[in-house]
Amino acid sequence: MNAKAMEGLKKRKYGLLAALLTACAAVVIFSLSGRLIGGGYTFIRGDLTGQFVPFIRQFLNSLFGPEDLDYSFYISMGASTMAVYAYNCLSPFNLVYLLIVDGNLASVVVMVGKLSLAAYTFQWFSRTILKNNTISSVAFSMAYALCGYTVTYYHNIMFLDSVYMLPVIMGLVVLFVKEGKWRALTAAYAYLFLVNFYIAYMVGFFSFILLLAMMAAEYGRSWKRYAVTGVRFAGLVILAALMDAIFLMPAAYALLWNGAPDASVFDDLRLMLWDLYGNLFLGQMQTLEGIFPMIYCGVIVVYLVPLFFMDGHYGRKEKTVCAVLLGFLIICSIWLPGYIFLHCFDAPDSNGYRFGFLYSFLLTAVCCAQWSRVGSVRPQKLTVIAVINVILYYLIYLWQKRNLEESYQSMSVLGWELNILFIFLLLVLMRYAQRGEGTKKKAERLLVVLMTLELIVNGFFCVTRAGYLPGDHKVIYNNWMDSVEETLRTIRKEDDGIYRIRYHNAVAQDQSMQFDYMDIPYFSTIENWRLRDTLGLLGYSVSPRGVLNTGGTPVTEMLFAQRYIVMAKDPWEMDTAVQTLYKNETALGLGYMVREELRDIILQENAMENLNLVLQGMTGEDIVCMIPYTGDIRLESENMVFGMTAEETYALYRKDETEASAHLIYRIESDSLYPSYAYFSQEISIKDTSMPVLYGGYGLGTYLTAPAILPMERSADGDNITIFMGEGISSEGWYRNHYFAYYDPAALQDAYEVLKEHQFLISERRGSRIRGTVEAVEGRTLLFTSIPYDKGWRIYVDGTEAKTEALINGAFLGTELTPGIHAIEMVYQSRLNTVSAWISAAACAVFLLTVLTAKDGWKMKIKTDAKEENTNQEKNDINKNNDK
C-alpha cells in the first residue's frame, strides 16, 4: 500500500472504527433482546413483514424476470406500481434480498449496514465540518447511528437511507455556502430523492433551513452573494430531481391521480416542550400514536448542548445557525401546520414525528463540537447540570403519571435510576478529562466505552418494548413465504394464464404478492382512491390508506379472476404455516362481455346488496347471490354493554375495566342449504388506537375500523360472529349498521354460466402488453376487465385505439365494442414514462458534462467578491481610527 493510500486510511480510521463498533453494538442489541442470535423473537416486524420485504421481492422479480418495472398485476390488483417502487424499493441496499433469500437475515444485514454507514457519514461530518477527527468522534457517531429513532423505527428500513445521507447532505451544504462546491451536493440530493422521496423531503427542507442560516451567518449584507448562491442552489436541486425524473414523475402522477385522505384527523399534537426535554433521556419508547418524538442520542446531550450555548468560545454565527435549526424543529413539533408541512403535507396516523432523526443529528453534532471544550468548564457547573437533570426527569415522570394514560407514559422509576447512573458516570468521566491533556485522551477512549454501553442499554429497552412477535412466528413467517413461492411454482407449472390468487389467513393480510396492498394512499390528500372505495363497498376490508386481503366472497372471487384460493392455518398459532390450494372453477378471466346496464348501477352502503347489484348489472338477470337475512338477531355478551345512539350508531362499552377481555356475539338462524355472512358498516369510530376485532368463521378476523364481509361460524345454536375486545383493547367503540345474508352458490353458478360464454381469450402477454380475442353479441357489448382503471392503459380494437371507460364506481377498466369477434390489444404505459426517461437522460448528461468541464469560475467570483468586501471593510476601519 502506497503512502497516499496509508494517509487516506489513517484519516478515515475513526470513521471505519465507528462503523464497525456500530455494527457490533446493533448485533448485541438485537441479540440481547432475543431478535437475533439464540433469541426467541423475530427480527421482522411491522412494515418489514407486510410491506418492504414483499415489495422488494416483487421488485427484484420485475427487475430480473418477465414483469415490467412500471406495471405488475401482483400489487393492488395492478395499480400504480411505479409509486410503490419509488417509495419502497429503490435503495441499492435492497439488492441484499437478491443475494440472501431468507427475508429475516437479509433484513438484518440491510439494517446493520445502514446503521454502520450512518456512523461513518457522521464521522465524516465531524472531521470535515466540525474539525473533530479524534477518538471522541467515534462515540458521537455511534450515538447518532444508534439513536432512539433508529432502534425504534428500524423496521422502516427505507427511512434509514435518509439517516445515513443526512450528515452528508448537511456537510455538503456547509461546503457549498463556504466554498461554492456543488457537484457532490447535486449527486447526494439525486441519490437521496431516489431511495425514498418521502423522508428525502424532510432532509431536503431541513438542509434548506441550514442553507438560509449559513448564508445569513456568512454573507452579512452582501445581497449579491445571497442571490448567486440561492440561484445556484435552486439549480442544483432541480438538476438532482430531474436526474431522478424517470421514477419521480410517474410516481408523482400516480399519487396525484389516486389520492386518498389520511387515516385520521389531526387537531391536537398533545406535545409540550418538557416532553421534548424528557425524550432526551435513555429508555424512552415511541408510542403507537407518536405523541412524543424519539430524539434520544445519548444522555451526554443534557450536558453539552447547554454548555455550547453558554460557551463564549463560540461566536454568534455558530450559535445562531444551531438555534435556527433547533427552533425550526421545535416549531414543527408543537405547531400542527409545521408538523404536517414537514411530513410532506401528510398527517401520519401512527409512528408520528418521522423527522425525529433530524433532532438527533443536530444535538449530536453540537455535542461533538462542544466536547473539545469540556476541559474549560468549571466542575461546579457540571455538577449543577447533573442535579438539575435528575430532578427534572423525576418531575416530568410524576407529571406523566398523573396526566397521561399508561400507554403514553414514556418515563418510569427504572428509567430514572438508569439515567441517574449514566448521568453520574458521565460527570465522573468529564471531571477526569479536565485533569490534563493526557487524561483527556484516556477519557475519550472511556467515553466510547461508556456511550457504547449506554446505547446498548437504550436499544435493548426500545426494542423489547416495541411489541415484537415470538420467534416461533419468525418460523411461521419464513415457512409461509417459502410455501407461497412453492404454491406459485406449482400453479405456474399447470397454468400460465393471467389470474389472481386469494389467500385466507396469511401471516400478514396485506402482502403485496396477494390480492393487493396499500400503495397509493400514502401522502395524498386530494381525492378518494376509486379502487379502494369500490372494493370496500363490495365487502373488502379497507382503511383510508389501503385495501387489505380480508372480505372477499365467492362473488368477488369470480368477478376478479381469483382462480386459485389458498387456505392457511391461523397465523397466530404456534405452528408452522400450512397451506391448502383450491382451484376456483367459477372464476372468470381477466375480462368478459357484460350488459350496458352495468354503467347504471349505484353502489349503496350494504356491501352484500352491492354484490347482487353488480351481478344483475352484468347479466341483466334478477340474480340474488346474497340473500338478505330478515329473521331475529340474538345478542350474547360477556363484560360488554351494547346500545344504540343517535343516527343508528351502535355503541360498545366494557362493563368492568379490570377484566381481561369482553365480547359480543351476534347469532342468526342457521340455514341447512346456505352458509351465512355478516357485514358491518364502514362508518366507525374507536376511542383508542387498539381496536376491537371482528371474528367470523374459518378463523378470519378484521379490525372494526376496516370492516369487511366475513363468513359466520356455524354451531348448534345458530350462525354467529363475534366482536372481541381483548386485554388492553379500547373500552368503548362505535359503528353503524350491521347486515346479514345467506350465500346461494346456485345463483352464482347461474351468473357464471351467463358470463363465461364471452370472455376475453388472452393469447399473449409480455409485461404490460396483452393480446387476445373476444366476441361481443347483441346486448353484451361492454367489455369489462378487473384491471384497475388508469389513464395509462390504451385499448386497441382491431388495430384502432378505442375509448377507455371507468366502470363500477370509476374503479375498473372497460371499453365499448360492436357485435362480432375482435382482436384486442391492451398496452400500459404511465403517461409520463417516456418524457421522464428523456428528462432523466438529459439531466444526467448535463450533470456529467458540467462535472467534467466546469472550472468553478462562479465560485472564484464569490470568493473575490468576499475578498473585496473584506478589503473595503478594512479601509473603513482604518479611516475611522484616523478620524478618532
Side-chain angles (χ1 to χ4, degrees):
M1 187 178 295
N2 57 39
K4 186 176 181 180
M6 286 294 295
E7 183 180 352
L9 182 62
K10 183 178 180 181
K11 183 173 67 173
R12 296 171 176 82
K13 66 177 180 179
Y14 290 129
L16 297 173
L17 179 60
L20 177 61
L21 290 179
T22 297
C24 294
V27 171
V28 170
I29 289 171
F30 288 104
S31 296
L32 289 177
S33 57
R35 273 70 188 173
L36 288 181
I37 303 171
Y41 293 85
T42 177
F43 178 84
I44 292 182
R45 67 172 288 249
D47 289 344
L48 267 178
T49 301
Q51 186 174 357
F52 304 129
V53 174
F55 279 169
I56 291 167
R57 288 194 178 195
Q58 178 59 40
F59 175 68
L60 295 174
N61 289 338
S62 299
L63 193 63
F64 299 101
E67 298 290 333
D68 281 353
L69 277 176
D70 59 344
Y71 195 87
S72 171
F73 286 98
Y74 299 105
I75 298 178
S76 289
M77 297 184 69
S80 306
T81 308
M82 188 67 76
V84 179
Y85 291 156
Y87 181 67
N88 293 299
C89 304
L90 297 183
S91 170
F93 276 90
N94 294 336
L95 293 176
V96 171
Y97 290 92
L98 181 65
L99 304 175
I100 303 176
V101 177
D102 186 300
N104 183 69
L105 179 59
S107 299
V108 172
V109 174
V110 170
M111 185 277 297
V112 173
K114 291 183 179 182
L115 293 182
S116 298
L117 187 55
Y120 182 85
T121 57
F122 186 89
Q123 206 283 328
W124 170 85
F125 180 87
S126 174
R127 72 171 182 265
T128 304
I129 305 302
L130 305 179
K131 307 305 179 184
N132 180 358
N133 195 25
T134 66
I135 189 67
S136 67
S137 66
V138 174
F140 296 109
S141 300
M142 292 180 64
Y144 171 69
L146 295 174
C147 61
Y149 179 95
T150 58
V151 296
T152 301
Y153 285 164
Y154 76 86
H155 59 282
N156 286 307
I157 54 175
M158 61 182 185
F159 289 8
L160 297 182
D161 288 284
S162 293
V163 173
Y164 68 71
M165 283 302 297
L166 176 61
V168 176
I169 295 291
M170 299 297 276
L172 292 176
V173 168
V174 173
L175 296 178
F176 173 73
V177 174
K178 288 188 173 183
E179 303 176 17
K181 296 180 178 180
W182 63 275
R183 299 184 183 113
L185 182 58
T186 305
Y189 274 131
Y191 176 83
L192 184 64
F193 299 156
L194 184 68
V195 292
N196 184 254
F197 58 83
Y198 173 47
I199 306 298
Y201 171 86
M202 302 176 187
V203 173
F205 205 86
F206 188 61
S207 63
F208 176 67
I209 300 299
L210 173 64
L211 176 81
L212 297 179
M214 285 290 300
M215 287 195 298
E218 294 291 326
Y219 295 169
R221 297 182 179 180
S222 178
W223 304 114
K224 181 179 180 180
R225 298 180 71 191
Y226 282 108
V228 171
T229 302
V231 170
R232 299 292 183 180
F233 182 79
L236 72 87
V237 171
I238 292 172
L239 180 60
L242 293 179
M243 291 166 66
D244 296 332
I246 189 171
F247 276 102
L248 291 185
M249 288 180 64
Y253 169 76
L255 288 170
L256 294 175
W257 174 248
N258 297 294
D262 291 304
S264 60
V265 177
F266 271 57
D267 54 10
D268 184 11
L269 290 177
R270 293 184 293 175
L271 180 72
M272 300 183 182
L273 289 178
W274 57 76
D275 296 322
L276 290 172
Y277 168 79
N279 276 265
L280 295 173
F281 295 93
L282 71 88
Q284 309 302 300
M285 175 57 204
Q286 180 71 50
T287 60
L288 185 61
E289 283 193 346
I291 66 171
F292 302 132
M294 182 60 66
I295 60 178
Y296 163 85
C297 50
V299 176
I300 199 169
V301 166
V302 300
Y303 281 106
L304 297 184
V305 171
L307 292 175
F308 170 81
F309 286 102
M310 292 186 293
D311 195 338
H313 173 76
Y314 295 101
R316 184 175 60 183
K317 291 182 179 181
E318 294 90 342
K319 292 179 181 179
T320 299
V321 170
C322 292
V324 167
L325 293 174
L326 184 59
F328 170 74
L329 292 177
I330 292 175
I331 289 174
C332 292
S333 298
I334 63 177
W335 186 48
L336 184 61
Y339 176 89
I340 294 176
F341 172 78
L342 200 54
H343 279 94
C344 198
F345 303 97
D346 181 46
D349 60 342
S350 62
N351 293 335
Y353 295 100
R354 292 172 180 166
F355 55 84
F357 70 101
L358 303 178
Y359 273 109
S360 298
F361 168 79
L362 177 61
L363 297 175
T364 309
V366 170
C367 290
C368 191
Q370 180 61 28
W371 171 260
S372 62
R373 301 281 302 159
V374 73
S376 62
V377 181
R378 289 185 299 171
Q380 296 85 346
K381 185 179 291 187
L382 294 174
T383 303
V384 169
I385 292 176
V387 173
I388 290 176
N389 280 289
V390 169
I391 294 174
L392 286 179
Y393 182 98
Y394 192 73
L395 291 176
I396 296 176
Y397 159 71
L398 293 177
W399 182 90
Q400 288 189 358
K401 192 77 173 175
R402 180 177 179 179
N403 295 281
L404 297 180
E405 298 177 17
E406 185 176 354
S407 60
Y408 293 147
Q409 296 173 17
S410 60
M411 292 181 165
S412 64
V413 174
L414 177 60
W416 184 55
E417 294 170 347
L418 283 172
N419 280 282
I420 287 177
L421 173 63
F422 283 104
I423 286 174
F424 173 74
L425 291 176
L426 285 169
L427 176 62
V428 172
L429 182 64
M430 288 186 287
R431 292 287 299 274
Y432 178 68
Q434 293 178 329
R435 292 185 175 182
E437 191 61 32
T439 56
K440 184 179 179 182
K441 292 183 178 180
K442 294 179 181 178
E444 289 181 343
R445 298 188 184 96
L446 292 174
L447 178 67
V448 173
V449 175
L450 179 59
M451 290 197 66
T452 301
L453 177 62
E454 180 189 335
L455 293 168
I456 290 174
V457 171
N458 179 73
F460 171 80
F461 275 97
C462 288
V463 171
T464 53
R465 295 176 61 188
Y468 294 73
L469 298 176
D472 289 343
H473 285 197
K474 178 178 67 176
V475 177
I476 292 176
Y477 178 80
N478 289 334
N479 288 340
W480 182 80
M481 290 292 288
D482 292 339
S483 61
V484 166
E485 295 180 354
E486 181 60 33
T487 299
L488 293 175
R489 284 192 293 267
T490 300
I491 294 173
R492 290 298 183 193
K493 288 179 182 178
E494 303 177 358
D495 191 342
D496 61 353
I498 302 177
Y499 44 79
R500 297 187 178 91
I501 301 174
R502 176 155 183 222
Y503 285 86
H504 290 290
N505 270 352
V507 174
Q509 296 195 13
D510 47 14
Q511 295 282 355
S512 65
M513 65 184 63
Q514 298 172 36
F515 189 64
D516 46 18
Y517 187 70
M518 49 179 190
D519 51 353
I520 298 311
Y522 279 120
F523 322 122
S524 302
T525 56
I526 298 175
E527 61 183 77
N528 290 333
W529 184 22
R530 291 292 189 181
L531 175 63
R532 184 209 69 197
D533 289 348
T534 301
L535 290 178
L537 290 172
L538 294 178
Y540 272 90
S541 179
V542 298
S543 74
R545 287 183 175 269
V547 183
L548 310 183
N549 193 47
T550 305
T553 63
V555 179
T556 54
E557 289 166 2
M558 179 187 77
L559 297 178
F560 298 152
Q562 290 180 292
R563 192 178 303 174
Y564 295 93
I565 303 169
V566 179
M567 297 294 294
K569 293 190 65 175
D570 190 330
W572 310 119
E573 293 180 0
M574 293 300 179
D575 197 356
T576 56
V578 177
Q579 301 189 59
T580 306
L581 178 65
Y582 298 91
K583 185 172 182 179
N584 183 4
E585 299 296 343
T586 61
L588 294 168
L590 199 66
Y592 40 91
M593 302 305 301
V594 301
R595 298 185 66 86
E596 293 187 1
E597 286 90 325
L598 182 67
R599 293 192 181 100
D600 300 328
I601 67 168
I602 299 176
L603 300 182
Q604 308 296 323
E605 179 185 65
N606 185 348
M608 289 186 284
E609 181 61 29
N610 288 334
L611 296 176
N612 294 330
L613 290 174
V614 170
L615 289 180
Q616 292 165 7
M618 286 182 167
T619 63
E621 300 183 11
D622 188 20
I623 293 177
V624 179
C625 281
M626 309 301 291
I627 305 171
Y629 175 75
T630 57
D632 294 332
I633 300 172
R634 289 171 289 161
L635 297 176
E636 300 174 11
S637 64
E638 179 180 334
N639 191 33
M640 186 181 292
V641 176
F642 166 81
M644 181 180 292
T645 63
E647 298 180 356
E648 297 185 342
T649 299
Y650 298 88
L652 304 173
Y653 300 92
R654 190 190 294 266
K655 288 182 181 178
D656 188 350
E657 297 287 347
T658 62
E659 293 291 329
S661 63
H663 66 260
L664 176 67
I665 300 176
Y666 285 82
R667 292 190 187 276
I668 66 173
E669 297 177 4
S670 298
D671 190 301
S672 60
L673 295 178
Y674 307 126
S676 58
Y677 285 81
Y679 177 73
F680 291 80
S681 171
Q682 290 180 244
E683 299 181 42
I684 293 171
S685 174
I686 300 297
K687 184 177 180 180
D688 199 297
T689 56
S690 302
M691 302 106 178
V693 177
L694 186 66
Y695 281 110
Y698 313 113
L700 293 174
T702 183
Y703 290 118
L704 270 179
T705 50
I709 296 179
L710 287 178
M712 300 183 72
E713 186 176 359
R714 180 150 293 182
S715 67
D717 298 329
D719 297 348
N720 65 83
I721 194 165
T722 302
I723 295 177
F724 177 75
M725 289 183 176
E727 184 176 3
I729 289 180
S730 173
S731 61
E732 54 185 285
W734 300 267
Y735 66 94
R736 288 191 62 195
N737 297 344
H738 47 257
Y739 304 92
F740 302 92
Y742 295 117
Y743 160 62
D744 183 357
L748 184 67
Q749 185 67 36
D750 292 340
Y752 174 73
E753 294 297 330
V754 172
L755 296 173
K756 76 173 184 178
E757 297 299 326
H758 303 288
Q759 296 188 68
F760 177 35
L761 303 177
I762 297 174
S763 59
E764 179 185 0
R765 179 198 168 200
R766 293 183 179 179
S768 54
R769 183 183 298 271
I770 303 171
R771 291 189 177 95
T773 59
V774 68
E775 182 181 9
V777 297
E778 289 292 341
R780 301 190 192 285
T781 57
L782 183 61
L783 175 61
F784 169 85
T785 74
S786 56
I787 298 174
Y789 179 78
D790 189 305
K791 288 186 177 181
W793 278 107
R794 296 288 182 269
I795 299 179
Y796 298 89
V797 180
D798 300 326
T800 302
E801 184 174 354
K803 180 182 178 181
T804 59
E805 295 188 49
L807 304 174
I808 308 183
N809 205 34
F812 296 102
L813 180 69
T815 190
E816 179 75 21
L817 302 177
T818 58
I821 298 176
H822 300 282
I824 304 295
E825 182 177 14
M826 302 176 64
V827 180
Y828 179 84
Q829 184 177 43
S830 176
R831 301 181 75 191
L832 300 176
N833 271 19
T834 301
V835 64
S836 61
W838 280 107
I839 290 174
S840 285
C844 289
V846 169
F847 177 71
L848 291 176
L849 183 65
T850 54
V851 166
L852 295 175
T853 62
K855 301 299 183 180
D856 284 341
W858 64 274
K859 178 184 72 174
M860 299 304 295
K861 178 64 175 174
I862 290 177
K863 287 188 173 183
T864 301
D865 291 343
K867 185 175 181 180
E868 290 176 355
E869 288 179 6
N870 292 334
T871 303
N872 291 334
Q873 182 64 41
E874 290 174 0
K875 291 180 179 179
N876 291 334
D877 293 340
I878 293 173
N879 292 333
K880 289 181 180 179
N881 292 330
N882 291 335
D883 293 339
K884 291 181 180 180

